[in-house]
Amino acid sequence: MASYDFVFDALGLRDWCDKDAAEGGGPMTMDQLLGQAAGGDGSAQTSIWDLPFPSLDALHDACNAMPQTRNVTKGLEEAFLGVKDSLKFILDPLTQPLSWMLEGALYGILNTPWYFVVPLLLVVVWAVSRSSKLVAFVAACILGMAFIDHYDYAMQTLSIIFVCAFLCVLFGVPIGIAMSRSDGMQRGTIPILDMLQTLPPFVYLIPLIFLFSVTEPKLYGIAIILYAIVPVIRLTDLGIRLVDKDVIEAADAFGMTERQKLFGVQVPLALPTIMAGVNQTIMMSLAMVVIASLVSAPGLGVLVLRGIRNLELGVGLVAGLGIVLLAVILDRVTKASLARINPEQSD
Amino acid sequence: MGEDIKVSIRHLYKIFGSDPLAALQDVKAGMGKPELLEKRNHVLGLRDINVDMRAGEITVIMGLSGSGKSTLIRHLNRLIEPTAGEIEVDGEDVLAYNDEQLRKLRRERMSMVFQKFALLPHRTVLENAGLALATRGYGREEFESEANRWLDRVGLGGYGNHRPNQLSGGMQQRVGIARALTSNSEIMLMDEAFSALDPLIRTDMQDLLIELQKELHKTIVFITHDLDEALKLADHLVILNEGEVIQQDEPQQILLHPSDPYIEDFISDINRARVLRVRSVMEPNPNAEGASGDVEADDNLESVIAKAQGDTNASFRVMRDGKPVGVLNMKSLVRALVPTKASENGLRSTAA
């Protein structure tokens, strides 16, 4: 007898419980199998100390009509599979441009000769930072990686990050602005952001694998964007909300329209905070691009994965250090551009 | 001084809280501020304000913090919406304005100067000064000359390309004033515009304002908590306490005939000789013959005392625009200087 028989007996549900007991009630669990193997039939009286928590499985023991926990996970899975096709029908065309962008970026960066790409990157670094030291550092890093034949991998990783971070800013800043303008929107969005930020990155991948084919770039593109978009949204919202109330009042008092106020006052004054968000977004997409190599994202992550899978210590370590170098470069460059925005306002 | 009423406030009420209209009934029935807060958890901001502001005059609204003066000035351009009442500017009901009309009012007819300057830190001084025009859609080259003219006028010529944060507080507020002047509006709202400045700079700025006003004749609404400043600037002084107007009149009249113990408290320790003018103390007599010389009707008593070298037997002929209008003898002058006492159960006795 199971522990919770008395509940169903007392409620008079015994008939309902045993109705389909004759049909066996589904496959046996491991516990039941073990019980059978031990020769017992479970009828020994259990003491109150062994009373299990009334979970679905424990209740199922007492009453066959109760579902088991594995039915819950299975139900969820079936529900997802049920909507999968219609979901895919909508999402596939919507996200197709992401695939094109990623493919284009990867193709472009790998098929342009290195002697164009490297100077171009250095010019970009100079344009945003105006620091010759930083340019020299970036040059040393990239040429160093190229010297040990990691140039292609590093550029793949870099181009994925550029595309994903660009899209994060493109969508994240407007979402952040919308949040800052409506408390209701903020209340609705924050739980989603919290979830995106705390859900282990591997968990996004599972439903995405069902939705898209593993060979499609948009699969890892979406995973990276979902993971990395959170800080830019949060900090845009925060930055705009923190804009000096007196300045906003002055803008109102001089008859600015909402649009003039947003683009002439709020966004410029929130820009340092927004840029801090962009910096975080870039760092997080770099973290995710390694995990995304599990689902065919090219780049340094692939080497890390190879290091783990084949226990090739050296390959994994060198690729890992390459990622660190990329992280340092991206962080320093975005921080330098941030520092260039700040003094323009505060001095 | 024009006599036409530029801005008129009628029976204005403001109650802060979740259901101000219900609380309004209680206030109209006579419920006081503490009682309203206790029973209904609403804050009484303004109660039955009636003020007329004349064109070309400086109307000073004075009160201590919490008296509702900043709330009141924000009703004029509807940065705060009233609970009940009427506000008319040039005879038009501002409260009936739609968004477009309200924006036009704020852009073209009313400008504002703020206590904390509220300049845009990411724009240059010139762009800040031209803000009102830029907001109306003018390009930089169109507002540049106008903005530069007013920057020169407030003493900031050559600072156009600086950022506001590179300037001192006094200079920043000059930018604030230039910004208001560049909009070329007839009405200027000044919310404690000089309160954040050092005393010396504050005096400078007051002089600047008086000087500008002499040539521009704007309708200025000036908020302050400083009685000296109020008396120096005001053509019409409104004293506010706990959201109610206690007395409003020409400053001289308030000084000579305070109507309320609260006001007596206020005026008890100011330098009366510096604030009172000859015209308020003289005996009107167009055929007067002055024994010791002539004084102007708008001179303050301090300058008359200096002229008389302290001789209490002296008397002066009072002139206005070159014509004699009355006689001032030193005995009545001294009588006017007798300080009013702080009232027995006013602010100070409770504080002590």
Side-chain angles (χ1 to χ4, degrees):
Chain A
M1 292 309 281
S3 317
Y4 287 96
D5 278 352
F6 69 94
V7 176
F8 296 96
D9 292 342
L11 290 173
L13 292 171
R14 180 51 51 198
D15 285 346
W16 171 72
C17 284
D18 292 340
K19 195 169 57 185
D20 44 20
E23 293 138 39
M28 278 195 246
T29 64
M30 192 54 116
D31 275 348
Q32 289 167 324
L33 280 171
L34 284 174
Q36 266 182 2
D41 59 358
S43 64
Q45 207 47 259
T46 47
S47 94
I48 189 81
W49 290 108
D50 295 327
L51 185 72
F53 183 82
S55 65
L56 280 179
D57 282 351
L59 293 174
H60 177 80
D61 280 348
C63 171
N64 275 322
M66 290 296 288
Q68 283 170 285
T69 296
R70 67 180 179 198
N71 296 111
V72 175
T73 48
K74 197 153 193 285
L76 197 61
E77 192 176 314
E78 273 160 7
F80 180 79
L81 290 177
V83 296
K84 187 192 101 171
D85 285 335
S86 35
L87 205 61
K88 186 171 171 156
F89 183 74
I90 301 169
L91 286 181
D92 224 18
L94 274 182
T95 51
Q96 197 53 43
L98 177 60
S99 276
W100 295 332
M101 285 174 81
L102 284 165
E103 277 164 0
L106 288 168
Y107 179 86
I109 208 156
L110 289 183
N111 289 281
T112 312
W114 62 271
Y115 44 83
F116 288 133
V117 174
V118 175
L120 187 70
L121 285 176
L122 295 180
V123 167
V124 171
V125 171
W126 170 253
V128 299
S129 69
R130 301 285 152 132
S131 152
S132 47
K133 256 196 218 162
L134 192 60
V135 172
F137 173 71
V138 173
C141 288
I142 295 181
L143 294 177
M145 276 191 272
F147 191 66
I148 54 170
D149 287 298
H150 280 59
Y151 172 81
D152 280 1
Y153 295 110
M155 288 303 126
Q156 283 170 333
T157 299
L158 214 51
S159 54
I160 293 172
I161 288 171
F162 282 157
V163 170
C164 292
F166 169 74
L167 289 173
C168 283
V169 173
L170 193 70
F171 293 112
V173 170
I175 295 174
I177 290 172
M179 271 173 78
S180 70
R181 299 171 77 77
S182 141
D183 286 340
M185 172 88 181
Q186 193 192 35
R187 267 197 301 277
T189 316
I190 279 184
I192 300 175
L193 295 183
D194 287 341
M195 195 190 78
L196 286 177
Q197 215 166 16
T198 46
L199 209 62
F202 295 101
V203 179
Y204 303 146
L205 293 177
I206 306 170
L208 289 177
I209 291 168
F210 276 90
L211 276 179
F212 308 111
S213 108
V214 185
T215 52
E216 281 178 296
K218 64 183 167 193
L219 172 55
Y220 60 81
I222 292 171
I224 294 170
I225 289 171
L226 282 180
Y227 186 68
I229 200 170
V230 180
V232 73
I233 296 178
R234 273 191 206 279
L235 286 166
T236 303
D237 173 44
L238 182 72
I240 290 181
R241 280 176 188 264
L242 285 184
V243 169
D244 193 351
K245 295 278 176 296
D246 294 325
V247 177
I248 298 296
E249 192 176 45
D252 281 331
F254 281 93
M256 283 198 181
T257 58
E258 286 298 311
R259 173 180 288 267
Q260 285 175 322
K261 208 164 66 177
L262 179 66
F263 294 110
V265 182
Q266 290 172 312
V267 170
L269 291 187
L271 202 56
T273 320
I274 296 176
M275 283 304 292
V278 172
N279 171 280
Q280 285 306 300
T281 284
I282 291 178
M283 300 321 284
M284 285 178 76
S285 43
L286 184 63
M288 191 63 185
V289 82
V290 178
I291 294 169
S293 63
L294 283 173
V295 284
S296 81
L300 291 167
V302 173
L303 295 183
V304 175
L305 204 63
R306 198 176 104 198
I308 297 172
R309 262 205 297 246
N310 306 348
L311 289 180
E312 293 180 50
L313 176 68
V315 175
L317 272 184
V318 170
L321 287 173
I323 288 167
V324 171
L325 278 185
L326 281 187
V328 172
I329 291 173
L330 289 169
D331 182 59
R332 293 296 179 276
V333 173
T334 46
K335 284 224 177 99
S337 60
L338 178 64
R340 243 169 40 95
I341 297 171
N342 267 332
E344 276 174 20
Q345 296 195 357
S346 53
D347 283 330
Chain B
M1 296 286 144
E3 287 298 297
D4 13 313
I5 289 164
K6 188 86 178 164
V7 182
S8 164
I9 302 173
R10 290 271 159 271
H11 305 294
L12 186 75
Y13 287 84
K14 178 65 188 179
I15 296 162
F16 297 99
S18 50
D19 187 4
L21 286 177
L24 179 67
Q25 301 307 320
D26 292 342
V27 172
K28 281 190 168 162
M31 196 184 263
K33 187 171 182 172
E35 207 185 344
L36 187 75
L37 184 64
E38 193 177 311
K39 288 201 177 149
R40 283 194 164 265
N41 203 20
H42 280 58
V43 175
L44 180 56
L46 295 170
R47 174 203 285 261
D48 200 12
I49 306 284
N50 292 283
V51 181
D52 286 332
M53 299 166 183
R54 292 203 168 85
E57 286 196 349
I58 302 184
T59 302
V60 175
I61 299 169
M62 199 203 72
L64 298 180
S65 47
S67 61
K69 55 192 190 306
S70 288
T71 311
L72 177 57
I73 201 173
R74 279 168 177 68
H75 277 87
L76 297 179
N77 57 1
R78 280 178 63 193
L79 287 176
I80 298 179
E81 298 285 338
T83 307
E86 293 157 31
I87 299 165
E88 287 186 355
V89 176
D90 294 328
E92 288 175 44
D93 182 7
V94 174
L95 298 177
Y97 279 4
N98 60 24
D99 284 357
E100 190 54 43
Q101 288 170 308
L102 181 63
R103 228 170 5 244
K104 209 166 153 60
L105 172 85
R106 290 173 177 176
R107 285 179 179 185
E108 292 171 16
R109 288 159 64 195
M110 261 187 203
S111 52
M112 197 159 177
V113 182
F114 295 86
Q115 179 177 10
K116 291 178 187 151
F117 322 137
L119 303 173
L120 301 184
H122 61 294
R123 298 199 187 169
T124 62
V125 166
L126 181 76
E127 287 164 337
N128 268 290
L131 179 72
L133 295 180
T135 306
R136 286 182 218 167
Y138 289 48
R140 188 190 165 97
E141 52 296 336
E142 290 166 288
F143 68 68
E144 193 167 1
S145 64
E146 187 72 4
N148 269 325
R149 184 160 79 88
W150 289 113
L151 283 174
D152 284 347
R153 188 66 193 77
V154 299
L156 284 179
Y159 283 94
N161 289 323
H162 286 61
R163 301 259 167 195
N165 295 2
Q166 295 169 314
L167 306 182
S168 69
M171 289 160 96
Q172 289 191 35
Q173 194 57 299
R174 281 169 197 263
V175 180
I177 291 174
R179 175 169 72 175
L181 291 172
T182 307
S183 86
N184 205 18
S185 60
E186 290 173 358
I187 305 171
M188 260 173 86
L189 309 177
M190 305 185 74
D191 178 24
E192 302 222 25
F194 305 148
S195 300
L197 304 174
D198 301 335
L200 213 60
I201 297 171
R202 195 185 307 167
T203 313
D204 270 357
M205 300 293 284
Q206 289 162 358
D207 294 341
L208 174 72
L209 182 66
I210 291 172
E211 197 187 313
L212 287 167
Q213 176 65 356
K214 263 186 202 151
E215 61 185 81
L216 300 174
H217 299 298
K218 302 230 176 223
T219 307
I220 299 179
V221 184
F222 195 99
I223 298 278
T224 181
H225 59 248
D226 179 354
L227 185 64
D228 287 320
E229 184 169 76
L231 293 170
K232 183 170 174 180
L233 299 173
D235 295 311
H236 184 74
L237 178 58
V238 180
I239 296 185
L240 212 59
N241 184 34
E242 302 262 298
E244 289 178 74
V245 173
I246 309 182
Q247 190 174 8
Q248 54 173 321
D249 212 330
E250 201 206 351
Q252 307 277 307
Q253 293 304 315
I254 291 183
L255 215 54
L256 291 171
H257 311 290
S259 71
D260 186 284
Y262 179 78
I263 298 175
E264 287 170 23
D265 280 347
F266 252 124
I267 63 176
S268 61
D269 66 355
I270 58 160
N271 183 348
R272 294 168 69 86
R274 187 170 294 169
V275 178
L276 284 174
R277 311 268 162 189
V278 168
R279 63 186 149 89
S280 322
V281 185
M282 69 177 190
E283 289 153 24
N285 176 6
N287 308 315
E289 289 297 319
S292 325
D294 293 349
V295 291
E296 281 296 315
D298 280 332
D299 282 350
N300 63 23
L301 299 188
E302 203 173 52
S303 67
V304 178
I305 295 170
K307 204 166 193 172
Q309 300 285 315
D311 179 2
T312 49
N313 291 319
S315 68
F316 294 93
R317 189 167 65 152
V318 181
M319 309 292 284
R320 174 179 286 153
D321 303 329
K323 286 182 204 141
V325 287
V327 164
L328 174 70
N329 56 56
M330 289 300 284
K331 291 213 172 84
S332 51
L333 183 149
V334 172
R335 218 170 288 128
L337 292 183
V338 173
T340 48
K341 279 189 204 141
S343 64
E344 297 273 315
N345 42 14
L347 280 181
R348 294 174 192 206
S349 46
T350 43

